[in-house]
Amino acid sequence: MTTTVQSQAPTPAPVRSRLSGLRRYLSPEYLPIAGTILTLILMLVIGEVRYGGERGFVSPKLFSNLLQDNAYLLVLAVGMTFVIITGGIDLSVGAVVALVGLVIATLLPMGVPLPLVLIIGVLIGTTFGFLIGVLVEYFDIQPFIASLAAMFLARGLCNVVSVQSLAIKDEGFGALAGWSLKFGEGRDIWKINLSMIIAVLVLIVAYVILHHTRFGRTVYGVGVGDGGNAVQLMGLKAGRTRLWVYVISGTCAGVAGILFAFYTKSGFNLTGIGMELDAIAAVVIGGTLLAGGGGFVLGTGVGVLVYGLIQVLIAREGLDSWWTKVFIGVVLLVFVVLQRAIAVRRRS
Amino acid sequence: MSGPTVELTPDTPSSPPPAQPAAQPRPSVARRIMQHQLFWPVVALIALIILCGIKNPTFLTIELRDGNLFGQLVDIARMSATPLLLALGMALVIATGGIDLSVGAVMAISLAVSLTYLDGAANPGSVSTAAVAVLLGVAVALAAGLFNGFMVSVLGVQPFIATMILMVAGRGVAMLITQGQITTVTSAPFKFLGSGFVFGIPTPVIIALIMLVAVAILVRRTALGMLLESIGINREASRLAGVQSRNITWLVYIVCALLAGLAGIVYGAPTMAADANNIGLMKEMDAIMCVVLGGTALSGGKFYLSGTVVGALILSTIERAVVIFHIPSQITPLFKALVIIVVCVAQSPKLRELLRDGAAKLRPRALPEVAS
């Protein structure tokens, strides 16, 4: 009995290897991400042609700036990717970012040690994620409405903490925010700062968890459309996973809140309005299916770059900032329609 | 969105929720009232009004000044008009299992178009100019609804994401229309829509009531409401049963956007200032809150217009209660948030199940039964 199973086991392997290679990357699940990379390249080419000049548009400095300006968004989008793959949504992240910034700005002048403040900041996000997860998993409330309620709660708490913009003047905090490794010289100088390192670390950890652990497979299984019943029957913990993705997203929001505070060196109760939509846009542009069940966290990284490039190009064109919203909308539209087209083709 | 499973028993608003098995004997009258979907929202509204009345006895008085009604309760009714207009359309959309997040942006676009037209018109004070301005605003809202409906019904994009596109881009479009300025104009007939009185009743209330009756007749005196619910329960099954689910879905997004455009005009008329950045900001959340407070589940398949009206009244009563109880206004959103969380948890079938069967039931989603 055992021998037959063992002798049969290797047979699927050649099928897999035949599928690997170029054909594997032409399968429908890779189409959205191919579109994303194509868009990124197209935008870089447009940028190079229009603003290249003698110093060039595409340079380490461009990517350094992109990552520096969007480090918080990358962390948010990575957390959001987990949630969207399970077919859920987390609308509370923007409000959590604002709350974390305000709490940091309030606690530091009170003499609370910096490491403790940072831990509290992350834990605030974790708590909100846990709250949403409990509402979704144990009370069967739709993710949309549960995270909406959490968003209201976070914004409400923000207003209680302060309605004014609070500057963060703490020296230790400033040192952490200002630390960076510099490369190159003169006008081409580019740097790697703490926010970028943290954001990239989060991305790598998320990649490992999502693609190389049992938990990651369960996340995909929960999102495939039957509410996770199939993976539950396979013995994986669908319910617990559904709770955990919100904890992950909330924790990411807490980290993003700290990164955003590094970036702005202040806390304000109106920051992050619409930030959840930016994060969702980055995830969708990155090729993750909004219907759940499919997506790549590395694609989210590319999505964030595309999002940042849109802003850069609009700024270089000298257009008013509200054009950004229209453009993000149009890009989102194109990607969503693309996703639909692929889904329809796959079904037929 | 993969929501909780929809109960496959479409029932009319007057019948009790399908919580108990059919084998049980008919519940008593008190129990049926308790289980009516309007019971808890109405109790909450009455409790809020009584609390406010105890704190501030003048709260409950309504006086007639110059033939017009004044008083706190009239103010609450007036403040409810905008969320009610939004929530009416939202309830229909939610009934089909969708959501419309773009209503706030549509409010901004409509008002921006109306006021920009008035600003450029030769005689902004005349009734005909104001009428054209309103028509233009509503026409733009119609275009927005066509877009949303097309995305959802023809392309099959998830409603959440389809309308989010307009939510993000719509505000940008409104900014483009007003050129980033806050357009202010004066036009008496236009202002009348927001702050006037008809037969002593504030105009916004009249407009909201007319729309409520129109929508109620449209969906409850024809089969449309039932068809909407059938789409919300199972789109494919309803299509196979001969329901034109594509056209009907398209229609509800158009209706929702039209009402949102009207809401934008009514909301902006008293101040006559088109602030594209702030008009209707977060109003989609208010609209959803009204619908949810009224007992309509976001999973679709059922909707209660009467509950939505109560929801809108609760929303504005809460806003007013915060003022009456001298709670710092910063706390209003926190208060709203706690109310929403409590109502959501109270409405969740899991909690009812829990209360009925004891704590043993609070477990992650049960396994589906496997046919052996």
Side-chain angles (χ1 to χ4, degrees):
Chain A
M1 182 72 189
T2 343
T3 44
T4 40
V5 171
Q6 275 170 351
S7 64
Q8 277 175 355
T11 38
V15 183
R16 277 183 70 106
S17 65
R18 217 185 300 147
L19 254 176
S20 63
L22 194 65
R23 250 189 71 198
R24 187 171 151 227
Y25 290 97
L26 284 176
S27 67
E29 63 187 286
Y30 289 99
L31 266 178
I33 188 117
T36 313
I37 293 172
L38 202 69
T39 314
L40 182 67
I41 294 171
L42 200 70
M43 289 174 75
L44 289 174
V45 168
I46 292 173
E48 186 67 47
V49 169
R50 287 189 62 90
Y51 325 107
E54 53 191 44
R55 285 179 49 228
F57 177 75
V58 180
S59 61
K61 190 184 163 117
L62 173 75
F63 287 101
S64 163
N65 284 348
L66 275 180
L67 209 52
Q68 202 176 332
D69 293 342
N70 297 298
Y72 69 93
L73 186 62
L74 179 56
V75 176
L76 279 185
V78 165
M80 188 71 83
T81 310
F82 279 83
V83 177
I84 290 183
I85 288 176
T86 65
I89 199 86
D90 186 353
L91 297 180
S92 72
V93 292
V96 170
V97 165
L99 181 61
V100 170
L102 273 172
V103 168
I104 292 175
T106 315
L107 286 185
L108 281 178
M110 288 164 64
V112 184
L114 181 62
L116 187 62
V117 171
L118 295 184
I119 291 171
I120 290 175
V122 175
L123 285 183
I124 288 173
T126 312
T127 313
F128 271 92
F130 184 73
L131 172 75
I132 298 170
V134 167
L135 288 178
V136 169
E137 179 49 36
Y138 292 94
F139 290 102
D140 266 357
I141 294 173
Q142 290 207 2
F144 170 79
I145 202 72
S147 58
L148 186 72
M151 169 189 173
F152 271 133
L153 188 66
R155 285 259 173 247
L157 286 171
C158 283
N159 284 5
V160 175
V161 175
S162 169
V163 285
Q164 264 133 23
S165 180
L166 302 175
I168 301 174
K169 297 190 185 105
D170 187 81
E171 277 179 23
F173 190 84
L176 276 183
W179 178 87
S180 64
L181 294 167
K182 294 183 177 62
F183 299 90
E185 39 189 64
R187 295 179 64 189
D188 289 329
I189 194 164
W190 58 279
K191 50 192 177 179
I192 294 178
N193 67 10
L194 193 61
S195 301
M196 295 159 75
I197 294 174
I198 293 175
V200 171
L201 269 182
V202 168
L203 181 65
I204 292 169
V205 170
Y207 172 77
V208 173
I209 290 178
L210 211 46
H211 292 281
H212 295 285
T213 65
R214 172 195 293 243
F215 175 80
R217 289 317 300 168
T218 319
V219 169
Y220 281 95
V222 167
V224 288
D226 64 344
N229 288 334
V231 284
Q232 180 92 43
L233 288 171
M234 284 162 67
L236 296 169
K237 305 272 190 290
R240 198 185 292 170
T241 306
R242 210 181 284 111
L243 172 63
W244 270 104
V245 291
Y246 290 98
V247 174
I248 290 174
S249 172
T251 309
C252 282
V255 174
I258 293 172
L259 298 190
F260 197 72
F262 278 159
Y263 186 59
T264 59
K265 295 196 187 62
S266 66
F268 184 40
N269 68 333
L270 292 181
T271 43
I273 287 183
M275 202 185 267
E276 52 279 344
L277 301 180
D278 296 343
I280 296 168
V283 174
V284 173
I285 292 171
T288 298
L289 298 178
L290 269 166
F296 309 94
V297 75
L298 292 181
T300 300
V302 183
V304 170
L305 286 181
V306 169
Y307 177 90
L309 261 180
I310 292 174
Q311 284 180 322
V312 170
L313 291 185
I314 285 169
R316 290 280 185 110
E317 279 288 342
L319 291 172
D320 292 302
S321 64
W322 56 80
W323 273 104
T324 316
K325 290 181 176 173
V326 180
F327 261 93
I328 298 284
V330 171
V331 172
L332 200 55
L333 175 72
V334 170
F335 275 89
V336 166
V337 172
L338 184 75
Q339 281 192 2
R340 277 305 303 168
I342 292 164
V344 169
R345 219 186 65 176
R346 192 186 298 170
R347 213 180 302 141
S348 65
Chain B
M1 280 188 289
S2 70
T5 47
V6 181
E7 285 148 314
L8 288 170
T9 41
D11 58 352
T12 52
S14 55
S15 69
Q20 66 267 76
Q24 276 185 7
R26 232 178 133 66
S28 66
V29 175
R31 208 179 157 75
R32 281 179 64 201
I33 292 176
M34 285 272 290
Q35 293 198 332
H36 191 275
Q37 38 83 23
L38 266 180
F39 178 73
W40 288 110
V42 169
V43 166
L45 179 62
I46 293 174
L48 268 173
I49 290 178
I50 290 176
L51 277 178
C52 291
I54 292 171
K55 175 77 183 166
N56 182 356
T58 58
F59 180 78
L60 297 174
T61 53
I62 296 175
E63 53 180 320
L64 210 60
R65 236 183 275 160
D66 306 332
N68 297 332
L69 291 172
F70 280 95
Q72 304 256 27
L73 291 176
V74 180
D75 276 356
I76 287 176
R78 181 205 295 272
M79 279 160 61
S80 307
T82 315
L84 180 58
L85 283 173
L86 296 177
L88 281 178
M90 188 71 83
L92 301 187
V93 172
I94 287 176
T96 65
I99 194 100
D100 189 347
L101 294 182
S102 69
V103 288
V106 172
M107 280 173 75
I109 298 178
S110 284
L111 188 66
V113 167
S114 289
L115 291 189
T116 307
Y117 171 76
L118 276 180
D119 196 29
N123 184 9
S126 78
V127 177
S128 58
T129 319
V132 173
V134 171
L135 280 180
L136 275 177
V138 173
V140 173
L142 178 77
L146 278 171
F147 172 77
N148 282 339
F150 177 77
M151 294 283 289
V152 174
S153 65
V154 179
L155 296 183
V157 177
Q158 281 165 293
F160 177 81
I161 201 70
T163 55
M164 196 181 84
I165 291 172
L166 198 60
M167 177 188 181
V168 181
R171 219 158 265 290
V173 172
M175 289 295 270
L176 288 178
I177 293 168
T178 59
Q179 296 295 315
Q181 311 289 316
I182 298 178
T183 310
T184 42
V185 282
T186 20
S187 163
F190 195 79
K191 190 167 180 152
F192 174 79
L193 290 175
S195 53
F197 288 88
V198 177
F199 306 123
I201 302 169
T203 333
V205 178
I206 298 277
I207 294 175
L209 283 179
I210 292 174
M211 287 302 147
L212 171 66
V213 171
V215 170
I217 290 175
L218 182 68
V219 297
R220 289 302 185 202
R221 290 286 151 230
T222 69
L224 191 62
M226 202 187 68
L227 299 182
L228 288 180
E229 293 178 332
S230 78
I231 293 172
I233 292 165
N234 190 331
R235 177 176 305 267
E236 194 53 25
S238 68
R239 191 186 65 79
L240 291 173
V243 178
Q244 294 195 332
S245 52
R246 173 181 288 191
N247 292 350
I248 291 176
T249 310
W250 203 337
L251 179 72
V252 290
Y253 283 92
I254 293 172
V255 170
C256 185
L258 281 178
L259 288 170
L262 195 60
I265 290 166
V266 170
Y267 181 79
T271 51
M272 300 285 289
D275 180 357
N277 255 336
N278 291 315
I279 292 279
L281 196 63
M282 308 288 275
K283 285 291 178 205
E284 54 279 346
M285 309 305 179
D286 277 1
I288 295 166
M289 180 178 164
C290 295
V291 175
V292 175
L293 281 176
T296 303
L298 274 168
S299 43
K302 264 181 240 170
F303 70 101
Y304 307 109
L305 290 181
S306 51
T308 305
V309 176
V310 178
L313 289 173
I314 291 178
L315 179 79
S316 17
T317 312
I318 289 175
E319 278 171 358
R320 185 47 64 112
V322 167
V323 178
I324 286 175
F325 280 92
H326 301 294
I327 302 169
S329 62
Q330 300 111 291
I331 297 187
T332 319
L334 181 64
F335 191 50
K336 272 192 200 172
L338 290 175
V339 169
I340 291 184
I341 292 178
V342 169
V343 170
C344 278
V345 172
Q347 281 181 350
S348 96
K350 270 283 168 71
L351 187 80
R352 293 188 178 175
E353 197 178 298
L354 177 76
L355 290 177
R356 215 173 51 233
D357 301 341
K361 284 280 173 177
L362 189 65
R363 267 195 234 118
R365 243 162 265 204
L367 281 172
E369 288 188 17
V370 190
S372 49

